Amino acid sequence: MPFSLTRLTSCAARIMVALFLALGAGPALAQAYQTEATAAYVIDHGTGQVLFAHDAEVPLPPASMSKLMVLLTTFEALDEGRLSLDTRLPVSAHAMSFGGSTMFLNTSDRPTVEDLIRGVIIVSGNDASVALAEALSPDGTEAGWARIATDRARELGMNQTTLMNASGWPAPGHVMSMRDLGILAERIITEHPEYYRYFAETEFDYENRSPANRFNRNPLLSLGIGADGLKTGHTSEAGYGLVGSAVQGTRRVTFVITGLPSAEARAREAERITTWALRQFVERQVVTGGTEMARAPVFMGAAADVGMAPASDLTLLLPASGTPDLAAEITYTAPFPAPVSAGDQLGELVVRMGAGADAIEHRIPLLATEDVAQGGIGTRLGTATRDVLHRLIGPPPTLVGG
């Protein structure tokens, strides 16, 4: 892999690396996806690679998509033994008071946790969501659940999430970013596969109370494109949104969209972005672990320099047509004092895909490829002599090569 030495001092070095991939000729850059959504986020499940991000870090009203946080905290409580699927829960007057999409629960009901999970996922029941949240709250209130759920979101890296309620009902300060919703969806898929199956169910009618509201609103489930989750949302403030996931072959993609003007526009954009994410990328290995990429100087060593190699392979999803917008950089502080042992981390390889705020960055440790022992008396005398000359007449000229 070719590189050029652009700057080298006694304290630091930075090498720009061009990634020449066997992709063949093509247009200069793959075309970026154009979305109709106000904000969007698309991630490949297998590689963890963000395929598309548009205002994905902006905190926005999430509508019923925030009910995924109720589901995550419920799944965690099930795993911890604090709840079971057949646990029966009370329905408070507060939970019963919600309009909009509901299971039509009343205070005499004792639905099971499984009933409520299906009620949240399939019919987007506000009453079901609040009943679960109150059961999980340290003080038995929806507001109490919102506080612990916000704290849990922060623990998961969902830094633009602040929850004020369990239903997604519009409230000042109740916000989530599309990236945060993507993190949440990936967590549910990865950590709770035994409960994820509920998201693919297409209808649920609790005790025949809501036949008109029994159908899952996810527009992708009936299209035969591998979609199996997760959650829709809609308020006049947020517009129409969807957290979706689909599998084709060995690949799963998860996406979040919001701000669409209608349910029809949401369905159209959801199908379009799923098809794009699954069809327009191929897996390519762009870095081979253990392959020497550069050599760096060693201070007072038996050898003048040491090789550096990536600690692991890096496989990326790249555009199926065109040349990817890839750049890489090796960074390290040099010279390294002897002795150096094979496997010591000496620097980093930073690979960037894309440009600007939406660039995707991967960092791979660079490890020493060999041992370099401390030099003998001759090495120390030579180093001391060069140091004296450096102080008297200045450093040698910097070399630039290719």
Side-chain angles (χ1 to χ4, degrees), residues 80-402:
E80 293 163 3
R82 293 186 287 125
L83 291 175
S84 65
L85 289 175
D86 58 2
T87 300
R88 294 191 175 274
L89 296 178
V91 178
S92 69
H94 174 61
M96 189 186 98
S97 70
F98 277 84
S101 183
T102 75
M103 285 175 61
F104 295 95
L105 297 172
N106 60 61
T107 54
S108 64
D109 289 323
R110 293 296 181 271
T112 66
V113 168
E114 185 174 38
D115 288 333
L116 294 171
I117 289 171
R118 297 176 76 194
V120 173
I121 292 172
I122 302 166
V123 303
S124 198
N126 293 322
D127 47 1
S129 191
V130 172
L132 284 171
E134 289 175 340
L136 296 169
S137 171
D139 62 4
T141 68
E142 183 183 13
W145 172 86
R147 287 191 293 272
I148 65 166
T150 298
D151 291 342
R152 180 64 179 135
R154 294 288 192 276
E155 291 173 359
L156 297 176
M158 299 163 57
N159 297 322
Q160 304 302 323
T161 291
T162 301
L163 301 173
M164 306 303 294
N165 59 55
S167 65
W169 206 263
H174 185 81
V175 293
M176 301 180 78
S177 71
M178 299 308 99
R179 177 182 175 274
D180 286 0
L181 281 163
I183 292 172
L184 179 54
E186 288 286 287
R187 183 85 182 187
I188 289 172
I189 294 167
T190 302
E191 300 295 329
H192 304 286
E194 68 274 37
Y195 309 123
Y196 184 64
R197 59 186 173 85
Y198 293 113
F199 288 91
E201 294 185 11
T202 56
E203 56 183 288
F204 173 65
D205 186 5
Y206 179 69
E207 295 186 351
N208 299 313
R209 293 186 189 179
S210 55
N213 191 43
R214 72 183 189 275
F215 296 109
N216 194 320
R217 290 165 173 77
N218 187 336
L220 298 182
L221 294 180
S222 62
L223 297 183
I225 61 173
D228 55 10
L230 293 159
K231 188 75 189 71
T232 59
H234 168 246
T235 64
S236 57
E237 178 187 28
Y240 289 81
L242 173 63
V243 182
S245 190
V247 177
Q248 287 185 16
T250 60
R251 286 192 58 210
R252 173 184 288 279
V253 295
T254 301
F255 69 89
V256 190
I257 53 176
T258 194
L260 280 305
S262 66
E264 293 75 20
R266 173 176 65 191
R268 181 175 62 250
E269 180 63 13
E271 183 177 8
R272 198 168 72 92
I273 205 167
T274 301
T275 300
W276 171 82
L278 287 169
R279 301 284 176 82
Q280 295 302 315
F281 293 86
V282 293
E283 285 191 356
R284 294 289 177 87
Q285 184 173 310
V286 299
V287 174
T288 301
T291 300
E292 184 176 303
M293 297 187 70
R295 298 193 69 83
V298 176
F299 180 71
M300 300 284 280
D305 55 21
V306 62
M308 296 186 294
S312 61
D313 297 342
L314 175 63
T315 298
L316 297 178
L317 284 169
L318 303 177
S321 62
T323 304
D325 185 9
L326 277 179
E329 181 180 75
I330 291 175
T331 63
Y332 60 90
T333 300
F336 302 109
V340 175
S341 298
D344 286 351
Q345 182 172 346
L346 304 180
E348 274 191 324
L349 171 65
V350 183
V351 180
R352 295 185 184 88
M353 186 172 182
D358 293 335
I360 304 159
E361 187 173 275
H362 300 267
R363 292 179 172 268
I364 305 172
L366 287 173
L367 310 181
T369 59
E370 68 248 29
D371 296 332
V372 178
Q374 196 167 39
I377 185 64
T379 299
R380 292 195 291 272
L381 287 174
T383 299
T385 301
R386 286 192 298 273
D387 185 57
V388 170
L389 290 174
H390 174 85
R391 293 172 184 274
L392 290 174
I393 63 175
T398 298
L399 296 178
V400 177

Side-chain angles (χ1 to χ4, degrees), residues 18-57:
L19 295 179
F20 293 100
L21 305 173
L23 297 175
L29 292 175
Q31 293 297 311
Y33 182 77
Q34 301 295 318
T35 182
E36 299 176 31
T38 300
Y41 183 77
V42 186
I43 186 169
D44 179 79
H45 184 79
T47 64
Q49 185 175 333
V50 178
L51 303 181
F52 179 72
H54 171 61
D55 287 340
E57 299 284 357

